Coordinates of all heavy atoms in Angstrom, one line a residue:
M10 N 163.6 84.6 135.8 CA 163.5 83.7 136.9 C 163.4 82.3 136.4 O 162.6 82.1 135.4 CB 162.2 84.1 137.7 CG 161.8 83.0 138.7 SD 160.1 83.3 139.4 CE 159.7 84.9 139.2
E11 N 164.1 81.4 136.9 CA 164.1 80.0 136.5 C 163.3 79.2 137.5 O 163.6 79.2 138.7 CB 165.5 79.5 136.3 CG 165.5 78.1 135.7 CD 166.9 77.7 135.3 OE1 167.7 78.6 134.9 OE2 167.2 76.6 135.5
W12 N 162.3 78.5 137.1 CA 161.5 77.7 138.0 C 161.9 76.2 137.9 O 162.1 75.7 136.8 CB 160.0 77.8 137.6 CG 159.4 79.1 137.8 CD1 160.0 80.2 138.2 CD2 158.0 79.4 137.7 NE1 159.1 81.2 138.4 CE2 157.8 80.7 138.1 CE3 156.9 78.6 137.4 CZ2 156.6 81.4 138.1 CZ3 155.7 79.3 137.4 CH2 155.5 80.6 137.8
D13 N 162.0 75.6 139.1 CA 162.3 74.2 139.1 C 161.0 73.5 139.5 O 160.6 73.4 140.6 CB 163.4 73.9 140.1 CG 163.8 72.5 140.1 OD1 163.2 71.7 139.3 OD2 164.8 72.1 140.8
S14 N 160.3 72.9 138.4 CA 159.0 72.3 138.7 C 159.2 70.7 138.7 O 158.3 70.0 138.8 CB 158.1 72.6 137.6 OG 158.6 72.2 136.3
S15 N 160.5 70.3 138.7 CA 160.7 68.8 138.7 C 161.0 68.3 140.1 O 161.1 67.1 140.3 CB 161.9 68.5 137.8 OG 163.1 69.1 138.3
I16 N 161.1 69.1 141.1 CA 161.5 68.6 142.5 C 160.3 67.8 143.0 O 159.2 68.2 143.0 CB 161.7 69.8 143.4 CG1 162.9 70.6 143.0 CG2 161.9 69.3 144.9 CD1 163.2 71.9 143.8
E17 N 160.6 66.6 143.4 CA 159.6 65.6 143.8 C 159.6 65.5 145.3 O 160.7 65.7 146.0 CB 159.8 64.3 143.2 CG 159.5 64.3 141.7 CD 159.5 62.9 141.1 OE1 159.6 61.9 141.8 OE2 159.3 62.8 139.9
F18 N 158.5 65.1 145.9 CA 158.4 64.7 147.3 C 157.7 63.4 147.4 O 157.2 62.9 146.3 CB 157.6 65.8 148.1 CG 156.4 66.3 147.5 CD1 155.2 65.6 147.7 CD2 156.3 67.5 146.8 CE1 154.0 66.1 147.1 CE2 155.2 68.0 146.2 CZ 154.0 67.3 146.4
A19 N 157.7 62.8 148.5 CA 157.0 61.5 148.7 C 155.5 61.6 148.3 O 154.9 62.6 148.6 CB 157.1 61.0 150.1
P20 N 155.0 60.7 147.5 CA 153.7 60.9 146.9 C 152.6 61.0 148.0 O 152.6 60.4 149.0 CB 153.5 59.6 146.1 CG 154.8 59.1 145.9 CD 155.6 59.5 147.0
V21 N 151.5 61.8 147.6 CA 150.3 61.8 148.3 C 149.2 61.4 147.3 O 149.1 62.0 146.3 CB 150.0 63.2 148.9 CG1 148.7 63.3 149.6 CG2 151.1 63.7 149.8
I22 N 148.4 60.4 147.7 CA 147.3 60.0 146.8 C 146.1 60.7 147.3 O 145.7 60.6 148.5 CB 147.2 58.4 146.8 CG1 148.5 57.8 146.3 CG2 146.0 58.0 146.0 CD1 148.6 56.3 146.5
L23 N 145.4 61.3 146.4 CA 144.1 62.0 146.7 C 143.0 61.3 146.1 O 142.9 61.0 144.9 CB 144.2 63.5 146.1 CG 145.3 64.3 146.6 CD1 145.4 65.6 145.8 CD2 145.2 64.6 148.1
M24 N 142.0 60.9 147.0 CA 140.9 60.1 146.6 C 139.6 61.0 146.9 O 139.3 61.3 148.0 CB 140.8 58.8 147.4 CG 142.0 58.0 147.1 SD 142.1 56.5 148.2 CE 140.6 55.7 147.7
F25 N 138.9 61.3 145.8 CA 137.7 62.1 145.9 C 136.5 61.2 146.0 O 136.6 60.0 145.9 CB 137.6 63.0 144.6 CG 138.7 64.0 144.6 CD1 139.9 63.7 144.0 CD2 138.6 65.3 145.1 CE1 141.0 64.6 144.0 CE2 139.6 66.2 145.1 CZ 140.8 65.9 144.5
K26 N 135.3 61.7 146.2 CA 134.1 60.9 146.4 C 133.8 60.0 145.2 O 133.4 58.9 145.4 CB 132.9 61.8 146.8 CG 133.1 62.5 148.1 CD 131.8 63.3 148.5 CE 132.0 64.2 149.6 NZ 132.0 63.6 150.9
D27 N 134.1 60.5 144.0 CA 133.9 59.8 142.8 C 135.1 58.8 142.7 O 136.2 59.2 142.6 CB 133.9 60.7 141.6 CG 133.7 60.0 140.3 OD1 133.9 58.8 140.2 OD2 133.5 60.7 139.3
P28 N 134.9 57.5 142.7 CA 136.0 56.5 142.7 C 136.9 56.6 141.4 O 138.0 56.1 141.4 CB 135.3 55.2 142.7 CG 133.9 55.4 142.4 CD 133.5 56.8 142.7
D29 N 136.4 57.3 140.4 CA 137.2 57.5 139.2 C 138.2 58.7 139.3 O 139.0 58.9 138.4 CB 136.3 57.7 138.0 CG 135.6 56.4 137.6 OD1 136.1 55.3 137.9 OD2 134.4 56.5 137.1
R30 N 138.0 59.4 140.4 CA 138.9 60.6 140.6 C 139.9 60.3 141.7 O 139.7 60.6 142.9 CB 138.0 61.8 141.0 CG 137.1 62.2 139.8 CD 136.3 63.4 140.1 NE 137.1 64.6 140.4 CZ 136.8 65.5 141.4 NH1 135.7 65.3 142.1 NH2 137.6 66.5 141.6
V31 N 141.0 59.8 141.3 CA 142.1 59.5 142.2 C 143.4 60.1 141.5 O 143.6 59.8 140.4 CB 142.3 57.9 142.4 CG1 143.5 57.7 143.2 CG2 141.1 57.3 143.0
F32 N 144.1 60.8 142.3 CA 145.3 61.5 141.8 C 146.5 61.3 142.7 O 146.4 61.3 143.9 CB 145.0 63.0 141.7 CG 143.9 63.4 140.7 CD1 142.6 63.4 141.2 CD2 144.2 63.6 139.4 CE1 141.6 63.7 140.3 CE2 143.2 63.8 138.5 CZ 141.8 63.9 139.0
C33 N 147.6 61.1 142.1 CA 148.9 60.9 142.8 C 149.7 62.2 142.6 O 150.0 62.6 141.5 CB 149.7 59.7 142.3 SG 151.2 59.4 143.3
V34 N 150.0 62.9 143.7 CA 150.7 64.2 143.7 C 152.1 64.0 144.2 O 152.3 63.5 145.3 CB 149.9 65.2 144.5 CG1 150.7 66.5 144.5 CG2 148.5 65.4 144.0
R35 N 153.1 64.4 143.3 CA 154.5 64.2 143.7 C 155.3 65.5 143.4 O 156.5 65.5 143.8 CB 155.1 63.1 142.9 CG 154.7 61.7 143.2 CD 155.3 60.7 142.3 NE 155.0 60.9 140.9 CZ 154.0 60.2 140.2 NH1 153.4 59.2 140.8 NH2 153.8 60.5 139.0
T36 N 154.8 66.4 142.8 CA 155.5 67.7 142.4 C 154.6 68.9 142.7 O 153.4 68.8 142.8 CB 156.0 67.7 141.0 OG1 154.8 67.8 140.1 CG2 156.8 66.5 140.6
A37 N 155.3 70.0 142.8 CA 154.5 71.3 143.0 C 153.5 71.5 141.8 O 152.4 72.0 142.0 CB 155.5 72.5 143.1
K38 N 154.0 71.2 140.6 CA 153.1 71.4 139.4 C 151.9 70.5 139.5 O 150.7 70.9 139.3 CB 153.9 71.1 138.2 CG 153.1 71.3 136.9 CD 153.9 71.1 135.7 CE 153.1 71.4 134.4 NZ 153.9 71.1 133.2
E39 N 152.1 69.2 139.9 CA 150.9 68.3 140.1 C 150.0 68.8 141.2 O 148.8 68.7 141.1 CB 151.4 66.9 140.4 CG 152.1 66.2 139.2 CD 152.7 64.9 139.6 OE1 152.8 64.5 140.8 OE2 153.1 64.1 138.6
A40 N 150.6 69.3 142.3 CA 149.8 69.8 143.4 C 149.0 70.9 143.0 O 147.8 71.0 143.3 CB 150.7 70.2 144.6
A41 N 149.6 71.9 142.2 CA 148.8 73.1 141.8 C 147.7 72.6 140.9 O 146.5 73.1 141.0 CB 149.8 74.0 141.1
N42 N 147.9 71.7 139.9 CA 146.9 71.3 139.0 C 145.7 70.6 139.8 O 144.6 70.8 139.5 CB 147.4 70.3 138.0 CG 148.2 71.0 136.9 OD1 147.9 72.1 136.6 ND2 149.2 70.3 136.3
A43 N 146.1 69.8 140.8 CA 145.0 69.1 141.6 C 144.2 70.1 142.4 O 143.0 70.0 142.4 CB 145.7 68.1 142.5
L44 N 144.9 71.1 143.0 CA 144.2 72.1 143.8 C 143.3 72.9 142.9 O 142.1 73.1 143.3 CB 145.2 73.0 144.5 CG 146.0 72.3 145.7 CD1 147.2 73.2 146.0 CD2 145.1 72.1 146.8
I45 N 143.8 73.4 141.8 CA 143.0 74.3 141.0 C 141.9 73.6 140.2 O 140.8 74.1 140.1 CB 143.9 75.1 140.0 CG1 144.8 76.0 140.8 CG2 143.1 75.8 139.0 CD1 146.0 76.6 140.0
K46 N 142.2 72.4 139.7 CA 141.2 71.7 138.8 C 140.3 70.7 139.5 O 139.2 70.4 139.0 CB 141.9 71.0 137.7 CG 142.6 72.0 136.8 CD 143.4 71.3 135.7 CE 144.1 72.3 134.8 NZ 144.9 71.6 133.7
E47 N 140.7 70.1 140.6 CA 140.0 69.0 141.2 C 139.4 69.2 142.5 O 138.4 68.5 142.8 CB 141.0 67.8 141.3 CG 141.7 67.4 139.9 CD 140.7 67.0 138.9 OE1 139.5 66.5 139.2 OE2 141.0 67.1 137.7
F48 N 139.9 70.1 143.3 CA 139.4 70.2 144.7 C 138.0 70.8 144.7 O 137.7 71.6 143.9 CB 140.3 71.1 145.5 CG 141.3 70.2 146.3 CD1 142.3 69.6 145.7 CD2 141.1 70.1 147.7 CE1 143.2 68.8 146.4 CE2 142.0 69.3 148.4 CZ 143.0 68.6 147.7
P49 N 137.1 70.3 145.6 CA 135.7 70.7 145.6 C 135.5 72.1 146.1 O 134.5 72.7 146.0 CB 135.1 69.7 146.5 CG 136.2 69.2 147.4 CD 137.4 69.3 146.6
T50 N 136.6 72.7 146.7 CA 136.5 74.1 147.2 C 137.7 74.8 146.9 O 138.8 74.3 146.7 CB 136.2 74.1 148.7 OG1 136.1 75.4 149.2 CG2 137.3 73.4 149.5
D51 N 137.6 76.1 146.7 CA 138.8 76.9 146.3 C 139.0 78.1 147.3 O 139.5 79.1 147.0 CB 138.7 77.5 144.9 CG 137.5 78.4 144.7 OD1 136.7 78.6 145.7 OD2 137.4 79.0 143.6
D52 N 138.5 77.8 148.5 CA 138.8 78.8 149.6 C 139.2 78.0 150.9 O 139.4 76.8 150.8 CB 137.6 79.7 149.8 CG 136.4 78.9 150.3 OD1 136.4 77.7 150.4 OD2 135.3 79.6 150.4
G53 N 139.4 78.7 151.9 CA 139.8 78.1 153.1 C 141.3 78.4 153.4 O 142.1 78.6 152.4
E54 N 141.6 78.5 154.6 CA 143.0 78.9 155.0 C 144.0 77.9 154.5 O 145.1 78.3 153.9 CB 143.1 79.0 156.5 CG 144.4 79.5 157.0 CD 144.4 79.7 158.5 OE1 143.3 80.0 159.1 OE2 145.4 79.5 159.1
E55 N 143.8 76.6 154.6 CA 144.8 75.6 154.2 C 144.9 75.6 152.6 O 146.0 75.4 152.1 CB 144.4 74.2 154.7 CG 144.5 74.1 156.2 CD 145.9 74.3 156.8 OE1 146.9 74.2 156.1 OE2 145.9 74.6 158.0
F56 N 143.8 75.8 151.9 CA 143.8 75.8 150.5 C 144.7 77.0 150.0 O 145.6 76.8 149.1 CB 142.4 76.0 149.9 CG 142.4 76.0 148.4 CD1 142.3 74.8 147.7 CD2 142.4 77.2 147.7 CE1 142.3 74.9 146.3 CE2 142.4 77.2 146.3 CZ 142.3 76.1 145.6
L57 N 144.5 78.1 150.5 CA 145.3 79.3 150.1 C 146.7 79.1 150.4 O 147.6 79.5 149.6 CB 144.7 80.6 150.7 CG 143.3 80.9 150.3 CD1 142.7 82.1 151.1 CD2 143.2 81.1 148.8
L58 N 147.0 78.6 151.6 CA 148.4 78.3 152.0 C 149.1 77.3 151.0 O 150.2 77.5 150.6 CB 148.5 77.8 153.4 CG 149.9 77.4 153.9 CD1 150.9 78.6 153.8 CD2 149.9 76.8 155.3
A59 N 148.4 76.3 150.6 CA 148.9 75.2 149.7 C 149.2 75.8 148.3 O 150.2 75.6 147.7 CB 147.9 74.1 149.6
I60 N 148.3 76.7 147.9 CA 148.5 77.4 146.6 C 149.8 78.2 146.6 O 150.6 78.1 145.7 CB 147.3 78.2 146.2 CG1 146.1 77.4 145.8 CG2 147.6 79.2 145.0 CD1 146.2 76.6 144.5
K61 N 149.9 79.0 147.7 CA 151.1 79.8 147.8 C 152.4 78.9 147.9 O 153.4 79.2 147.3 CB 151.0 80.7 149.1 CG 152.2 81.6 149.3 CD 152.1 82.4 150.5 CE 153.3 83.4 150.7 NZ 154.6 82.9 150.3
L62 N 152.3 77.8 148.6 CA 153.5 76.9 148.7 C 153.8 76.3 147.4 O 155.0 76.0 147.1 CB 153.2 75.9 149.8 CG 153.5 76.3 151.2 CD1 153.0 75.3 152.2 CD2 155.0 76.6 151.5
C63 N 152.9 76.0 146.5 CA 153.2 75.5 145.2 C 154.1 76.5 144.5 O 155.2 76.1 144.0 CB 151.9 75.3 144.4 SG 150.8 74.0 144.9
L64 N 153.8 77.7 144.5 CA 154.6 78.7 143.8 C 155.9 78.9 144.5 O 157.0 78.9 143.9 CB 153.9 80.1 143.8 CG 154.6 81.2 143.1 CD1 154.9 80.9 141.7 CD2 153.8 82.5 143.2
D65 N 155.9 78.9 145.9 CA 157.2 79.0 146.6 C 158.1 77.8 146.3 O 159.3 78.1 146.2 CB 156.9 79.1 148.1 CG 156.3 80.5 148.5 OD1 156.3 81.4 147.7 OD2 155.9 80.6 149.7
V66 N 157.6 76.6 146.2 CA 158.5 75.5 145.9 C 159.0 75.6 144.5 O 160.2 75.4 144.3 CB 157.7 74.2 146.1 CG1 158.5 73.0 145.5 CG2 157.4 73.9 147.6
I67 N 158.2 76.0 143.6 CA 158.6 76.1 142.2 C 159.7 77.2 142.1 O 160.7 77.0 141.3 CB 157.4 76.4 141.2 CG1 156.5 75.2 141.1 CG2 157.9 76.9 139.9 CD1 155.2 75.4 140.4
E68 N 159.6 78.2 142.8 CA 160.6 79.3 142.8 C 161.8 79.0 143.7 O 162.7 79.8 143.7 CB 159.9 80.6 143.3 CG 158.9 81.2 142.3 CD 158.3 82.5 142.8 OE1 158.3 82.7 144.0 OE2 157.8 83.2 142.0
G69 N 161.8 77.9 144.4 CA 162.9 77.5 145.3 C 162.9 78.2 146.6 O 163.9 78.3 147.3
K70 N 161.8 78.8 147.0 CA 161.7 79.6 148.3 C 161.1 78.7 149.4 O 161.1 79.2 150.5 CB 160.8 80.8 148.1 CG 161.3 81.8 147.1 CD 160.4 82.9 146.9 CE 160.9 83.9 145.9 NZ 159.9 85.0 145.7
A71 N 160.7 77.5 149.1 CA 160.1 76.6 150.2 C 160.6 75.2 149.9 O 160.8 74.8 148.8 CB 158.6 76.8 150.3
D72 N 160.6 74.4 151.0 CA 161.0 73.0 150.9 C 159.7 72.2 150.4 O 158.6 72.5 150.8 CB 161.4 72.5 152.3 CG 161.9 71.1 152.3 OD1 163.1 70.9 152.0 OD2 161.0 70.2 152.5
P73 N 160.0 71.3 149.5 CA 158.9 70.5 149.0 C 158.1 69.7 150.1 O 156.9 69.5 149.9 CB 159.5 69.5 148.0 CG 160.8 70.1 147.6 CD 161.2 71.0 148.8
E74 N 158.8 69.4 151.2 CA 158.1 68.7 152.3 C 157.0 69.6 152.9 O 156.0 69.1 153.5 CB 159.1 68.1 153.3 CG 159.9 66.9 152.7 CD 159.0 65.8 152.3 OE1 158.0 65.4 153.0 OE2 159.3 65.3 151.2
Q75 N 157.3 70.9 152.9 CA 156.3 71.8 153.4 C 155.0 71.7 152.6 O 153.9 71.8 153.1 CB 156.8 73.2 153.4 CG 157.9 73.5 154.4 CD 158.4 74.9 154.3 OE1 159.1 75.2 153.3 NE2 158.0 75.8 155.2
L76 N 155.2 71.7 151.3 CA 154.0 71.6 150.4 C 153.3 70.2 150.6 O 152.1 70.2 150.6 CB 154.5 71.7 148.9 CG 153.4 71.5 147.9 CD1 152.2 72.4 148.1 CD2 154.0 71.7 146.5
R77 N 154.1 69.2 150.7 CA 153.5 67.8 150.9 C 152.6 67.9 152.2 O 151.4 67.4 152.2 CB 154.5 66.8 151.1 CG 154.0 65.4 151.3 CD 155.2 64.4 151.3 NE 154.7 63.0 151.3 CZ 154.3 62.3 152.4 NH1 154.4 62.9 153.6 NH2 153.9 61.1 152.2
A78 N 153.1 68.4 153.3 CA 152.3 68.5 154.5 C 151.0 69.4 154.3 O 150.0 69.1 154.8 CB 153.1 69.1 155.6
A79 N 151.2 70.5 153.5 CA 150.1 71.4 153.2 C 149.0 70.7 152.4 O 147.8 70.9 152.6 CB 150.6 72.6 152.5
I80 N 149.4 69.8 151.4 CA 148.5 69.0 150.6 C 147.6 68.1 151.5 O 146.4 68.0 151.4 CB 149.2 68.2 149.5 CG1 149.8 69.2 148.5 CG2 148.2 67.2 148.9 CD1 148.9 70.0 147.7
I81 N 148.3 67.5 152.5 CA 147.5 66.6 153.4 C 146.6 67.4 154.3 O 145.4 67.0 154.5 CB 148.5 65.8 154.3 CG1 149.3 64.9 153.4 CG2 147.8 65.1 155.4 CD1 150.6 64.3 154.1
R82 N 147.0 68.6 154.7 CA 146.1 69.4 155.5 C 144.9 70.0 154.7 O 143.8 70.0 155.2 CB 146.9 70.6 156.1 CG 147.8 70.2 157.3 CD 148.3 71.4 158.0 NE 148.9 72.4 157.2 CZ 150.1 72.5 156.8 NH1 151.0 71.6 157.2 NH2 150.5 73.5 156.0
V83 N 145.2 70.4 153.5 CA 144.1 71.0 152.7 C 143.1 69.8 152.3 O 141.9 70.1 152.2 CB 144.6 71.7 151.4 CG1 145.1 70.8 150.3 CG2 143.5 72.6 150.8
A84 N 143.6 68.6 152.1 CA 142.7 67.5 151.8 C 141.7 67.3 153.0 O 140.5 67.2 152.8 CB 143.5 66.3 151.5
D85 N 142.3 67.3 154.2 CA 141.5 67.2 155.4 C 140.4 68.3 155.5 O 139.3 68.1 155.7 CB 142.4 67.2 156.6 CG 141.6 67.0 157.9 OD1 140.9 66.0 158.0 OD2 141.7 67.8 158.8
E86 N 140.9 69.5 155.2 CA 140.0 70.7 155.2 C 138.8 70.5 154.2 O 137.7 70.9 154.5 CB 140.8 72.0 154.9 CG 140.0 73.2 154.9 CD 140.9 74.4 154.5 OE1 141.3 74.5 153.3 OE2 141.1 75.3 155.4
A87 N 139.1 69.9 153.1 CA 138.1 69.8 152.0 C 137.3 68.5 152.0 O 136.4 68.3 151.2 CB 138.8 70.0 150.6
G88 N 137.6 67.6 153.0 CA 136.9 66.4 153.0 C 137.4 65.4 152.0 O 136.6 64.5 151.6
V89 N 138.6 65.5 151.5 CA 139.2 64.7 150.5 C 140.1 63.7 151.2 O 140.9 64.1 152.1 CB 140.0 65.5 149.4 CG1 140.7 64.6 148.5 CG2 139.1 66.4 148.7
T90 N 140.1 62.4 150.9 CA 140.9 61.4 151.5 C 142.3 61.6 150.9 O 142.5 61.6 149.7 CB 140.4 60.0 151.2 OG1 139.1 59.9 151.8 CG2 141.4 59.0 151.8
A91 N 143.3 61.7 151.8 CA 144.7 61.8 151.4 C 145.5 60.6 152.0 O 145.4 60.4 153.2 CB 145.3 63.1 151.9
I92 N 146.1 59.9 151.2 CA 147.0 58.8 151.6 C 148.4 59.2 151.4 O 148.9 59.4 150.3 CB 146.7 57.5 150.8 CG1 145.2 57.1 151.0 CG2 147.6 56.3 151.3 CD1 144.7 56.0 150.2
A93 N 149.1 59.3 152.5 CA 150.5 59.7 152.5 C 151.4 58.5 152.3 O 151.4 57.6 153.1 CB 150.9 60.5 153.8
V94 N 152.1 58.4 151.2 CA 152.9 57.3 150.8 C 154.3 57.6 151.4 O 154.9 58.7 151.1 CB 153.0 57.0 149.3 CG1 153.9 55.9 149.0 CG2 151.6 56.8 148.8
L95 N 155.0 56.6 152.0 CA 156.3 56.8 152.5 C 157.3 56.1 151.6 O 157.0 55.0 151.1 CB 156.5 56.3 153.9 CG 155.5 56.9 155.0 CD1 155.7 56.2 156.3 CD2 155.8 58.4 155.1
N96 N 158.4 56.8 151.3 CA 159.4 56.2 150.5 C 160.5 55.5 151.3 O 160.8 55.9 152.4 CB 160.1 57.3 149.6 CG 159.3 57.6 148.4 OD1 158.3 56.9 148.1 ND2 159.6 58.7 147.8

């Protein structure tokens, strides 16, 4: 199986309560790293959907824009500020 981890989507900036924790997410790999390593919670319906979409995008089974929308929803679910940047 060949994974395409370079597919980019319009950036989403994630701002956590600590002002030193700001992340810009543009790829499925960046999204997975932010979700697994940075999010204050690792459960919730939106969190689990976003994790699955990371893998689906990498495998070419889902559109990157679906993942971008999921990142915004999971941020809302977790109380993380998400700024959606438009290209």
